[in-house]
Amino acid sequence: ETGVTQTPRHLVMGMTNKKSLKCEQHLGHNAMYWYKQSAKKPLELMFVYNFKEQTENNSVPSRFSPECPNSSHLFLHLHTLQPEDSALYLCASSQDWGAGANVLTFGAGSRLTVL
Amino acid sequence: QQQVKQSPQSLIVQKGGISIINCAYENTAFDYFPWYQQFPGKGPALLIAIRPDVSEKKEGRFTISFNKSAKQFSLHIMDSQPGDSATYFCAASGNAGNMLTFGGGTRLMVKP
């Protein structure tokens, strides 16, 4: 493992379900990220947290709700998703926001299928 | 201004051949150019990176060539091996607070 652990690795949910993706990093990093990876947009930034504070929200629909309780944990809460939201969701971390934001360590991703 | 264009989208190379992936950028404030490698079922991982004060950086079989005037950089994989089969992403970033901007990715297949 890379030091960034994501669970679950695979998730199938209906459009009315509520589920959450979890990310944990063991690297002592201060910034954490959610990316969406799909065939149409290979690496699409969703959210950025630095020291638990959200610094970026890349116009993501409200059916995706991030939560960062501390610098080591990041969640992505999912509610009333659409089939087009099916994708690989990648969590990443970096030492810091700003100058340290250009070296990312990624987790293995959570493969989401929305039926 | 923030876009990084990567080509080709897919590449098939024979074992022992040279794989070449190209990227172009517009933002002259970019000053850090990494390449990430992603194997199936894994997240991307940093492979090699360059800053514009040098025109080339080599690590083993992997070389980045950088052309500042043309705003282009490329990844060369010498003696390509089947184990190099993966998706490769170029990226670029600038000064503090400037996020990594990723290219669209290249799926490389090295045939035995």
Side-chain angles (χ1 to χ4, degrees):
Chain A
E1 284 295 346
T2 61
V4 178
T5 303
Q6 291 187 241
T7 55
R9 293 294 309 275
H10 300 272
L11 178 64
V12 179
M13 59 186 290
M15 295 198 304
T16 58
N17 290 159
K18 290 184 181 180
K19 296 287 184 182
S20 296
L21 306 181
K22 179 183 176 182
C23 176
E24 182 175 2
Q25 58 97 359
H26 314 278
L27 300 168
H29 288 170
N30 298 311
M32 297 187 76
Y33 310 74
W34 280 116
Y35 280 85
K36 176 182 178 182
Q37 186 171 42
S38 62
K40 287 187 177 181
K41 292 187 179 181
L43 277 173
E44 183 179 9
L45 177 66
M46 301 176 71
F47 301 103
V48 181
Y49 278 82
N50 190 45
F51 288 98
K52 304 186 302 177
E53 299 297 321
Q54 190 178 121
T55 57
E56 291 280 337
N57 177 335
N58 203 21
S59 303
V60 181
S62 59
R63 57 186 184 270
F64 295 92
S65 175
E67 178 189 0
C68 188
N70 54 62
S71 294
S72 298
H73 294 85
L74 184 65
F75 295 88
L76 188 62
H77 303 300
L78 314 170
H79 177 51
T80 58
L81 295 191
Q82 305 298 311
E84 60 264 30
D85 297 322
S86 298
L88 181 69
Y89 288 85
L90 290 162
C91 175
S93 69
S94 67
Q95 184 61 54
D96 287 298
W97 174 243
N102 55 19
V103 181
L104 299 177
T105 300
F106 284 89
S110 293
R111 173 69 63 185
L112 172 67
T113 302
V114 181
L115 301 177
Chain B
Q1 278 290 64
Q2 293 293 324
Q3 197 172 14
V4 176
K5 295 182 179 180
Q6 182 172 347
S7 63
Q9 284 187 307
S10 63
L11 181 62
I12 300 175
V13 174
Q14 290 295 130
K15 179 182 176 181
I18 302 173
S19 303
I20 302 174
I21 305 171
N22 301 298
C23 283
Y25 63 97
E26 292 293 328
N27 189 341
T28 55
F30 286 153
D31 64 359
Y32 176 72
F33 303 90
W35 286 87
Y36 281 75
Q37 179 188 54
Q38 184 179 23
F39 293 107
K42 303 288 186 181
L46 180 63
L47 178 64
I48 185 173
I50 195 169
R51 291 198 181 270
D53 52 340
V54 295
S55 60
E56 185 175 283
K57 182 173 182 179
K58 183 176 181 179
E59 290 184 2
R61 296 183 294 107
F62 299 89
T63 300
I64 301 179
S65 297
F66 183 79
N67 185 331
K68 188 174 182 178
S69 60
K71 292 186 285 186
Q72 295 175 348
F73 58 109
S74 60
L75 177 69
H76 292 63
I77 306 174
M78 311 300 288
D79 187 27
S80 298
Q81 299 297 311
D84 297 328
S85 296
T87 300
Y88 293 82
F89 293 94
C90 65
S93 71
N95 293 328
N98 194 335
M99 284 292 303
L100 270 177
T101 299
F102 285 94
T106 297
R107 183 172 293 184
L108 170 66
M109 179 185 297
V110 181
K111 288 192 169 183

